[in-house]
Each structure stands twice: as C-alpha cells, then as structure tokens.
Amino acid sequence: QRNTSSAKMAPTQEKHSSEELLQAQVDLWHHALGFVKSMALKCAMELQIPNTIQHHGGSMTPSELAAKIGLHPSKLPRLRRLMRVLIVSDIFVVHEVASPNKEVAYGLTPTTRLLAIDEVRSNLSPILSLILDSTVTAPFSGMHSWFLDEHSTSLFEKAHGLNVWEMAAQNSTYNQLINDAMVSDSNFLMDIILRECSGVFLGIKSLIDVAGGHGGSAKAIAKAFPQMKCSVLDLPHVVEEAPTFDHVSFISGDMFKYIPPADALFLKWVFHDWGDEDCVKILKNCKEAIPSREAGGKVIIIDMVVGSGPDEIITRETQVLFDLFIMCFEGIEREEHEWKRIFMEAGFSNYKIISVLGVRSVIELYP
C-alpha cells in the first residue's frame, strides 16, 4: 500500500519540490484558518480588551488584563494564546516590562485604537460588530447550497427567511445594530472626506443625505458648512428612531418612489446594496431631484470602485472580500465600467472618481 501511494504521488513530486509542496500546504491552511483570525478579533472586542488596555494607560500584563476583564485564573494561558494570534496579526503589540520574571505587556496599535470606545469620532467597533455578527457570518456556511439553488433569494434570506431590511424592520435590536454601524462608519469616514475632499461640497446651498440613517454624515456636513441646508431621507422606521440634530432635518420617504429636490444629493454606501436595475431607478429619481450641472446640480456618491485606490494587495483583497461579503445581501461592489453603465443608463452625462478613501472612493456624478 505504501509503495502504491508513493507511485501515485510520483508525478507531483517530480513537478514540485518538497519546499513548494509544503508552502502550498501552508497557503491552504492559512486561507482555511482565516475565520479564526476574525473570531479572535470579535472575542477581543466582546471582552473589551482594547478599551481595558487603553483605560489602563495603554499597557497591561496578561495577568493584569485577565483580572481586569474578569477571567478565571484557569483561562490565563488561553488568553495568552488569543493575544498571540492578534499580536502576529498586528492588532496588538507586545513588549517586555521591567520585572524579575521578565513579564510581557500588551499594548495598542493604531488599528486597535480605532476600536477603543473613548475614541468617539473614530470608533469602528459598531461596524465590525455588524460584519462579525452571527446573522451575517452563519449564512456563508451554506454558500455552496445557495449557489446550487435555482431560486434567486439572497444568501442572507435563504438562511433567515427574511432579507436584511425586513429583519431590521421587524427586529429593533438588529435595526439598532445596523444604524450604530452606519453612524460609526460615518463618524470615521466623514472626518476624512471633509478633510481631503471638502471641495466637492463648496457652493452647495441644499443637500439631502439619501438613505442617511440616523444622520451621522449629514451632521458632519452641516457642522462643516453651516450655511448649507442639510436633510436626511430614510424609511419611516429609521426616521422614527433618529436623534435630533441642530441644522439637520429628517424626511420619511422611499428613495425608490421619490426624492425631494435639492442642489446636491449625498449617498454613502447605498448603491452597493442594490442590483443594477434598482440602482438605475434610484439614480433616475436623483436626476429628477437636482438642477442642471450649470446650476450646480450633482450627486455625491461614497462607495467602492473595485480596482481604484492604493495599488496594494491588502486594498485589492479587501475590496474583493467585501464584494463577496455584500453578496450575502444580494449587494455588489462595482468596477468603474460597471458604475459607468448604470450612470449612463440613468441619463447622467459625466462623472469623476476621487480615490482618496482607502478601499472606497468619492464619485461626483453630473446630470
């Protein structure tokens, strides 16, 4: 039997060296174990490890950390193993502290600081909590059967019997999870947009944030441009729970039916939720709501343009991974030629892509 196995492996052995075969095995293992890295990050967030370390002055030994987050002493070795994964992944750092037994201490990185609750304007915990929520991760276990299913329901709906928007409308906790995630992302991204792309808002007298949720983006724009009349359009169940902001009004409505008139419309992370046909419907309503280009009318889109942005492997990989992630909800991240097709079909004349937001871009769309 051993000789037969060796004979069967001979062609592979002849084509590839042992080093190449072992590296291929490592590559497969590393790819397959990627979910463990995500779950380790989720665990650290739920144990409040980034916040605990920050509140302790930015550095804690394993035993200090375990005691502070309330772990039983028997879990200390397991905590070290969890943190080792996150250190190798550059989520945390480790350094030696001056002590007789040469203890180590865990510290924060720029990445981890984005998860600390105290950093209100840049706290990304809510959006990561949504991405890593079991309602989102569980459907991917059945992706193969979804591909083989001739019906067109989304991966999310196949798993839960509801699409994501129906679940949000029926489940107030889940609705809050989504809204918190969107506000978190807006707080983080809008600071950068207003710093790097403030010119796109110059001269605008009125702006509507379409499907703007609880108004995180509109609030930031209104603060930066107090002379601008800013409004948020969203579905009634979203507007009902929206907070009150100075200089921002909320409008209950449906972007598929009607968008009120304004000089400019702002849509952040909206189009990736919808297929081409629905996007064209939204865009046609946008075109009807704004004045001509000569009169300053335009649509400002914040979304992903796959292939744009920094030419680095982590950017490209994140873009295509997020595209597969959003496919769970029947969403799509588009390449430039795909954006151009829906823009032209909706009757717009021109557009400009400004790639200064990492994996995402600002798109100025003109009637």
Side-chain angles (χ1 to χ4, degrees), residues 20-306:
E20 289 172 327
L21 290 169
L22 290 169
Q23 184 57 52
Q25 180 197 44
V26 170
D27 290 343
L28 287 172
W29 281 27
H30 184 264
H31 195 87
L33 290 168
F35 78 97
V36 178
K37 189 191 297 187
S38 298
M39 292 302 105
L41 176 60
K42 182 174 189 276
C43 178
M45 289 168 53
E46 292 176 341
L47 289 173
Q48 299 291 315
I49 289 175
N51 309 312
T52 304
I53 293 175
Q54 175 162 292
H55 291 161
H56 200 265
S59 179
M60 294 184 83
T61 65
S63 54
E64 288 172 338
L65 180 59
K68 195 67 177 176
I69 61 178
L71 298 188
H72 188 274
S74 65
K75 293 294 176 70
L76 179 57
R78 278 83 167 180
L79 177 65
R80 287 194 176 101
R81 291 160 69 180
L82 171 71
M83 294 300 289
R84 181 170 60 184
V85 168
L86 296 170
I87 289 163
V88 169
S89 304
D90 294 326
I91 303 297
F92 292 92
V93 292
V94 64
H95 56 270
E96 285 191 6
V97 295
S99 65
N101 55 356
K102 293 185 178 179
E103 275 192 294
V104 299
Y106 304 130
L108 303 179
T109 64
T111 302
T112 329
R113 291 184 193 281
L114 293 179
L115 304 177
I117 288 173
D118 284 355
E119 300 291 336
V120 177
R121 293 300 303 169
S122 58
N123 182 6
L124 294 184
S125 291
I127 193 157
L128 290 190
S129 295
L130 176 63
I131 291 171
L132 297 173
D133 190 75
S134 60
T135 58
V136 177
T137 59
F140 282 95
S141 296
M143 189 190 292
H144 69 288
S145 63
W146 174 78
F147 266 108
L148 295 171
D149 192 339
E150 63 184 24
H151 298 98
S152 60
T153 12
S154 69
L155 185 56
F156 187 95
E157 188 171 353
K158 181 177 174 63
H160 299 296
L162 298 168
N163 67 38
V164 65
W165 309 117
E166 291 168 341
M167 181 175 283
Q170 294 183 21
N171 184 325
S172 60
T173 302
Y174 196 68
N175 186 50
Q176 191 62 47
L177 181 68
I178 292 174
N179 287 327
D180 288 347
M182 294 303 100
V183 170
S184 159
D185 183 66
S186 294
N187 287 343
F188 172 76
L189 199 62
M190 288 308 301
D191 282 347
I192 297 172
I193 290 171
L194 293 168
R195 187 189 316 148
E196 302 295 334
C197 309
S198 61
V200 303
F201 299 101
L202 293 177
I204 297 172
K205 295 178 181 177
S206 62
L207 177 144
I208 295 177
D209 184 359
V210 179
H214 283 185
S217 297
K219 180 184 176 184
I221 295 168
K223 184 178 179 181
F225 298 92
Q227 77 285 358
M228 190 188 302
K229 180 185 176 183
C230 290
S231 306
V232 175
L233 172 72
D234 216 313
L235 296 170
H237 74 271
V238 176
V239 171
E240 283 173 9
E241 299 178 2
T244 302
F245 295 136
D246 291 336
H247 310 299
V248 176
S249 59
F250 286 82
I251 305 167
S252 292
D254 185 340
M255 63 186 174
F256 286 103
K257 295 177 180 177
Y258 174 72
I259 297 174
D263 288 346
L265 303 176
F266 182 82
L267 296 96
K268 182 180 77 67
W269 251 14
V270 173
F271 291 107
H272 74 171
D273 289 326
W274 305 99
D276 288 358
E277 186 178 338
D278 285 328
C279 285
V280 170
K281 287 180 184 176
I282 298 167
L283 285 166
K284 285 182 176 179
N285 287 342
C286 288
K287 190 168 183 290
E288 289 181 7
I290 59 175
S292 66
R293 182 174 183 177
E294 293 71 25
K298 65 179 172 181
V299 180
I300 303 166
I301 298 169
I302 309 298
D303 227 313
M304 202 174 285
V305 180
V306 177

